């Protein structure tokens, strides 16, 4: 596993991080402990979660219990309350969310706190000042944003300067070979500002593994077969896209890789990307995607991937946020 510095002065994180948007394991707390243990054995140091991800924070805190605190980077988010209710980014909401996360994660500090979405009801100066208080108190070490537009990120950086808070180090957008919204404005701006990109859903919710065949119903145990999971996948499930994914899978096998490994490698080879978050149900799945770290894709391969998906990628900046 290779590691990189996140942004200008941020923590050192593994190129592949473990995301917990989906349950850590289908096998309960013991399964979660096995999955987190496997991640650590693979050299993964970045663990990403949120208070709105069910019991993910608590499961992660228990699974990491006993590991040296300096050996991993905890990333969580505020904006939503447990259950998905919007709390926003007022000073009170930010502080309440952090206190709740600290208890659930069984830790005294959060390495990276991200604003899960933009809050247009709260002045940015208030939100940034709250982050500054938490930085001074040692309850968070760094902060960033998830799914914010370039304009919102630029405004937040200006507000940070205004209130005397050190700048953010991370932006966390959805980013995959099919979802390329951040490329137009968010990633270039972050590069200019010294903000690292931590990409989530690099497998496009599992679509890029090649498990969904054109003209066939999704596997019964897949995310696309679940009504909730299908909601965030519908725009990927068109027949032309599924056909292109099969070509992508063929390219991966030709290069001696699984489609999952190639998909995550593609993200890690994009400019400005520091780390890619992957989910997994089993240690075996995680081993497969974690092997993407350190893979250097040739320019002809990157160009061929662009050709495979030409006309099928989503890159409308209205999809950010």
């Amino acid at each position: 596993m290779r590691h990189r510095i996140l942004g200008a002065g941020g923590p050192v994180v593994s190129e592949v991080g473990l995301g917990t948007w989906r349950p850590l394991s289908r096998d309960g707390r013991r399964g979660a402990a096995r999955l987190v243990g496997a991640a650590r054995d693979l050299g993964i140091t970045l663990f990403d979660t949120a208070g709105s991800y069910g019991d993910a924070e608590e499961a992660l805190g228990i699974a990491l219990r006993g590991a040296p605190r300096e050996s991993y980077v905890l990333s969580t988010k505020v904006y939503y309350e447990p259950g998905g209710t919007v709390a926003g980014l007022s000073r009170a909401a930010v502080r309440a969310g952090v206190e709740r996360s600290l208890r659930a994660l069984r830790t005294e500090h959060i390495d990276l706190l991200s604003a899960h979405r933009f809050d247009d009801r709260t002045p940015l100066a208030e939100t940034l000042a709250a982050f500054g208080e938490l930085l001074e108190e040692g309850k968070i070490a760094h902060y960033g944003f998830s799914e914010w537009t370039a304009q919102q990120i630029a405004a937040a950086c200006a507000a940070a300067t205004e209130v005397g808070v050190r700048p953010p180090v991370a932006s966390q957008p959805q980013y995959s070979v099919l979802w390329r919204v951040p490329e137009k404005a968010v990633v270039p701006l972050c590069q200019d500002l010294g903000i690292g990109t931590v990409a989530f859903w690099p497998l496009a919710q599992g679509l890029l593994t090649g498990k969904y065949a054109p003209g066939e119903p999704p596997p019964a145990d897949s995310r696309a077969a679940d009504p909730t999971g299908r909601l965030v996948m519908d725009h990927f499930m068109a027949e032309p896209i599924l056909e292109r994914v099969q070509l992508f899978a063929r390219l991966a096998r030709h290069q001696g890789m699984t489609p999952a490994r190639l998909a995550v490698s593609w993200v890690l080879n994009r400019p400005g990307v520091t780390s890619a978050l992957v989910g997994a149900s089993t240690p075996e799945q995680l081993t497969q995607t974690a092997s993407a770290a350190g893979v250097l894709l040739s320019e002809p391969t990157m160009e061929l991937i662009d050709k495979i998906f030409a006309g099928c990628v989503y890159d409308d900046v209205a999809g950010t946020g």
Side-chain angles (χ1 to χ4, degrees):
M1 178 62 60
R2 291 178 54 179
H3 295 74
R4 301 175 179 176
I5 298 174
L6 181 58
V12 175
V13 299
S14 49
E15 286 189 340
V16 174
L18 180 62
T20 62
W21 180 69
R22 301 293 284 185
L24 273 176
S25 175
R26 297 174 181 175
D27 303 322
R29 293 289 167 80
R30 288 186 179 179
R34 285 194 295 271
L35 188 62
V36 171
R40 287 176 54 76
D41 289 343
L42 290 165
I44 290 174
T45 58
L46 176 59
F47 295 90
D48 180 80
T49 187
S52 57
Y53 294 171
D55 68 347
E57 284 187 324
E58 187 172 359
L60 183 59
I62 292 172
L64 287 168
R65 189 167 49 191
R69 185 60 183 84
E70 68 277 5
S71 67
Y72 58 88
V73 175
L74 275 180
S75 168
T76 193
K77 309 173 193 73
V78 289
Y79 179 80
Y80 295 111
E81 292 181 338
T85 304
V86 173
L89 297 174
S90 67
R91 178 181 180 276
V94 168
R95 295 193 67 89
V98 167
E99 294 296 343
R100 193 163 47 235
S101 292
L102 290 171
R103 289 192 298 271
L105 289 164
R106 292 164 167 77
T107 187
E108 294 183 352
H109 77 276
I110 293 160
D111 298 292
L112 174 63
L113 178 71
S114 293
H116 211 156
R117 293 295 185 271
F118 184 79
D119 180 6
D120 57 10
R121 301 169 303 172
T122 302
L124 274 171
E126 178 179 341
T127 300
L128 272 295
F131 286 169
E133 291 174 4
L134 293 164
L135 288 166
E136 291 179 4
E137 293 166 15
K139 292 183 177 180
I140 67 173
H142 305 280
Y143 71 95
F145 317 104
S146 179
E147 286 289 84
W148 283 33
T149 66
Q151 293 85 353
Q152 290 164 352
I153 292 171
C157 289
T161 299
E162 179 185 332
V163 299
V165 176
R166 67 173 186 260
V169 301
S171 166
Q172 192 177 120
Q174 179 184 172
Y175 194 12
S176 72
V177 70
L178 283 170
W179 186 275
R180 300 177 65 163
V181 173
E183 290 182 346
K184 285 189 173 181
V186 171
V187 173
L189 174 71
C190 287
Q191 286 181 283
D192 290 343
L193 295 175
I195 298 172
T197 294
V198 178
F200 71 85
W201 292 356
L203 296 178
Q205 290 290 281
L207 190 85
L208 292 170
T209 64
K211 71 170 81 174
Y212 302 108
E216 296 182 15
D221 62 345
S222 69
R223 190 165 300 170
D226 173 73
T228 302
R230 183 66 186 245
L231 285 175
V232 295
M233 293 188 66
D234 265 348
H235 52 277
F236 290 143
M237 296 298 290
E239 289 292 301
I241 294 179
L242 296 180
E243 291 168 359
R244 304 293 182 91
V245 171
Q246 294 305 310
L247 294 175
F248 177 78
R250 193 179 307 167
L251 171 64
R253 290 189 289 270
H254 179 72
Q255 299 214 353
M257 289 190 272
T258 63
R261 187 185 187 197
L262 182 59
V264 178
S265 297
W266 180 90
V267 170
L268 290 173
N269 276 261
R270 299 301 297 168
V273 174
T274 303
S275 183
L277 298 173
V278 300
S281 299
T282 66
E284 292 74 24
Q285 285 183 353
L286 187 59
T287 298
Q288 184 183 116
T289 48
S291 67
V295 174
L296 182 62
L297 298 179
S298 67
E299 187 172 336
T301 296
M302 297 291 280
E303 291 174 352
L304 183 53
I305 292 172
D306 282 343
K307 289 180 181 178
I308 287 174
F309 290 106
C312 289
V313 302
Y314 187 85
D315 60 2
D316 185 352
V317 294
T320 302

